[in-house]
Amino acid sequence: MVRTPLTPWERERGERLGALLRAARGARSMVEVAAAAGLSAETLRKIETGRAPTPAFFTVAALAGTLGLSLDEVATLAAPSEAAAEDAVA
């Protein structure tokens, strides 16, 4: 199966999501947060570094719950600007 390449907007959204999660994790260890969310530390590492820019919904939901973030906050704070979205469509 061939995966469709990600758009610049999708890549930026993944990087923003990673930065948001990393900031929300604070001083807690990656292993601690990943275990609490039911993920491997490697999965969390890939998300935080943007190497897994499109994690599954339930993965994001589990991390948000573990970190005390609402899904609304995650969606709002991880979304690139409207200009980036328009550039991706053009």
Side-chain angles (χ1 to χ4, degrees):
M1 178 173 137
V2 176
R3 181 175 177 163
T4 305
L6 297 175
T7 66
W9 186 85
E10 289 169 322
R11 284 193 301 277
E12 182 180 345
R13 182 184 59 194
E15 290 170 3
R16 291 173 61 99
L17 173 63
L20 171 65
L21 296 175
R22 196 169 36 258
R25 180 167 56 84
R28 289 185 279 183
S29 78
M30 190 175 287
V31 172
E32 174 189 345
V33 171
L39 308 171
S40 71
E42 182 59 23
T43 296
L44 180 54
R45 183 179 345 274
K46 286 179 181 178
I47 294 169
E48 284 190 357
T49 60
R51 289 182 34 229
T54 58
F57 171 79
F58 291 104
T59 299
V60 175
L63 285 167
T66 299
L67 296 169
L69 298 169
S70 74
L71 289 176
D72 286 337
E73 287 177 295
V74 172
T76 300
L77 296 173
S81 69
E82 289 299 317
E86 290 173 8
D87 289 345
V89 174

